[in-house]
Amino acid sequence: MRVHRFGVRFPRFAIAVLAAVASMLTVVGLVTWGGAPAQAAPGQTAIVIGTGFGGLGMAIQLKKAGFDDITIFEKAADVGGCWRDNTYPGAACDIPSRLYSYSFAPNPDWSHTYSGSAEILSYIEGMVESTGVGAHIRFEHTVTGLEYDADAGE
């Protein structure tokens, strides 16, 4: 397992993207709410932490925005976040499944109103394959910290 601590090693034009299971809305200096879609500028790098629902959704959207230099760090050996980790009997979504898919890739074929973790994980794995973000994932890489130097802009 590789451990990363980011600090001054960020390139000057880097954008750090932190994605958690509960939120994929934090992109520093990239997203304009209610405005035109964000577009990558030459030389910009995006870093996404985690391959759960939020992290992968962010990576897919960054790729659509024109980012080619995306690295997704995942501490485990596979994608899926909590849907990969929680395999206990009865693990399922607590909201209707049709609402638990990406707005840009709805799944009309959920087998149950409240789909189980295996079916949700399969949807996530299918998104990785269909969008090509798998090539950007670095499995078994743990990030232990991030630092931003506002004076240096990096």
Side-chain angles (χ1 to χ4, degrees), residues 15-96:
I15 294 176
V17 180
L18 305 176
V21 173
S23 174
M24 64 180 209
L25 301 177
T26 305
V27 181
V28 180
L30 176 66
V31 174
T32 305
W33 301 110
Q39 295 294 313
Q44 285 187 317
T45 298
I47 297 171
V48 178
I49 300 172
T51 62
F53 208 82
L56 289 173
M58 182 58 73
I60 293 165
Q61 292 299 86
L62 286 166
K63 192 171 178 185
K64 284 183 177 182
F67 279 80
D68 293 322
D69 189 4
I70 303 169
T71 302
I72 309 164
F73 291 107
E74 172 54 55
K75 67 181 177 180
D78 278 314
V79 299
C82 66
W83 300 109
R84 172 200 61 231
D85 296 341
N86 293 304
T87 59
Y88 57 86
C93 192
D94 59 356
I95 63 169

Side-chain angles (χ1 to χ4, degrees), residues 123-145:
Y123 171 78
I124 293 169
E125 292 167 342
M127 289 304 304
V128 169
E129 185 177 329
S130 68
T131 62
V133 297
H136 300 278
I137 301 171
R138 302 298 171 257
F139 292 107
E140 298 181 335
H141 285 248
T142 299
V143 176
T144 62

Side-chain angles (χ1 to χ4, degrees), residues 95-150:
I95 63 169
S97 301
R98 69 185 191 294
L99 300 175
Y100 201 82
S101 56
Y102 297 120
S103 60
F104 53 85
N107 179 9
D109 299 321
W110 293 109
S111 65
H112 295 86
T113 301
Y114 298 94
S115 296
S117 61
E119 187 173 8
I120 295 169
L121 180 57
S122 178
Y123 171 78
I124 293 169
E125 292 167 342
M127 289 304 304
V128 169
E129 185 177 329
S130 68
T131 62
V133 297
H136 300 278
I137 301 171
R138 302 298 171 257
F139 292 107
E140 298 181 335
H141 285 248
T142 299
V143 176
T144 62
L146 295 167
E147 295 176 7
Y148 178 75
D149 183 341

